[in-house]
Amino acid sequence: MSTIGFIGSGNIGGAIARLAVKAGHRVVLSNSRGPETLADLVAELGPNAAAATPAEAAAAADIAVVSIPLHAYRSVPVEELRGKVVFDTNNYYPQRDGQIPELDDESTTVSELLQAHLPESFVIKAFNNIFQDHVVELARPSGHPERSLLAIAGDDAAAKRTATDLLDELGYDAYDVGPLAEGWRYQRDTPAYGLYFSAPFTWGEPAPAPRRLTPEILEPALKAAKRYRDM
């Protein structure tokens, strides 16, 4: 049993927490509004769930999940996450996050930005291109014929193995895209973004049913990715 600490416990964070508890892990949830605002989610998840401040969740974590609006990434605790694997689920939405020059000129990527903020942690980009409801709906045990995969990127081989093992327990195979610098291949507005929808989806409308994601579907989408400047 590991402890998964959540910096942000909204739609994606909450979904991952549900899978973690189901897999037998402890979860410590946090958000920017205070532990008391997470009482309903903690009650739903049961005795292996607790709420705390972000610093407390980070300190308690064996592995952490950062799932907050990107503009708040500098609020992620640094010292408490030193030496730990940190999943980054974020995407850059300028209309929400404001303009971030180094992302606008593509001199770095979203997860590299978090890695620079957490220089002694091991950031893994994952869960950023899957719809919140599909996180739980598509999870399957190892060996299941309908098992899906999740793209991961990271700069440390041991951290990738840790991430792969956790994803396996949560119900997914991992597909290694390469270093964090290659994480742009499944960022917002690329072909690999939202591949889990079975039909085209427009935000604000009912979401189509999910579909199983296989290497045969993911690989061509990753290869077809274009930089924003080339779109």
Side-chain angles (χ1 to χ4, degrees):
M1 179 185 286
S2 297
T3 298
I4 316 298
F6 288 82
I7 314 303
S9 303
N11 293 325
I12 291 291
I16 299 169
R18 290 177 176 90
L19 293 181
V21 167
K22 184 178 179 180
H25 296 291
R26 291 183 293 265
V27 299
V28 181
L29 308 165
S30 73
N31 62 19
S32 62
R33 296 175 292 132
E36 66 281 357
T37 66
L38 293 165
D40 289 346
L41 181 56
V42 169
E44 174 195 336
L45 295 177
N48 282 340
T53 66
E56 290 167 342
D62 297 308
I63 299 172
V65 176
V66 172
S67 192
I68 59 177
L70 180 61
H71 63 77
Y73 80 92
R74 291 184 182 87
S75 69
V76 175
V78 176
E79 180 61 34
E80 292 85 352
L81 292 175
R82 190 181 305 275
K84 298 178 181 181
V85 174
V86 178
F87 281 84
D88 177 30
T89 77
N90 279 320
N91 289 294
Y92 175 38
Y93 301 107
Q95 67 273 26
R96 177 198 65 186
D97 300 311
Q99 301 300 139
I100 299 176
E102 56 266 54
L103 296 180
D104 291 337
D105 67 18
E106 298 187 279
S107 59
T108 191
T109 64
V110 169
S111 292
E112 287 178 291
L113 205 62
L114 182 62
Q115 182 67 82
H117 175 69
L118 301 172
E120 296 187 49
S121 301
F122 304 101
V123 173
I124 300 291
K125 185 181 185 69
F127 289 104
N128 71 291
N129 67 329
I130 184 170
F131 183 57
Q132 60 203 39
D133 295 346
H134 296 171
V135 172
V136 173
E137 292 174 11
L138 285 173
R140 299 288 188 276
S142 181
H144 192 285
E146 293 300 313
R147 177 124 149 159
S148 285
L149 52 79
L150 282 165
I152 65 168
D155 293 336
D156 184 86
K160 285 183 179 179
R161 289 193 293 271
T162 297
T164 297
D165 290 345
L166 180 59
L167 290 180
D168 178 51
E169 295 175 4
L170 298 185
Y172 288 90
D173 292 331
Y175 185 97
D176 189 350
V177 175
L180 284 180
E182 287 294 288
W184 70 271
R185 292 187 177 277
Y186 52 108
Q187 67 187 0
R188 184 204 81 234
D189 295 336
T190 59
Y193 184 77
L195 268 183
Y196 299 87
F197 291 113
S198 59
F201 173 53
T202 301
W203 290 104
E205 297 182 359
R211 67 168 175 176
R212 178 189 179 213
L213 187 61
T214 64
E216 292 75 19
I217 297 172
L218 179 61
E219 288 170 0
L222 293 171
K223 291 177 181 177
K226 293 182 179 180
R227 294 284 191 176
Y228 293 138
R229 59 179 172 266
D230 298 324
M231 290 182 179

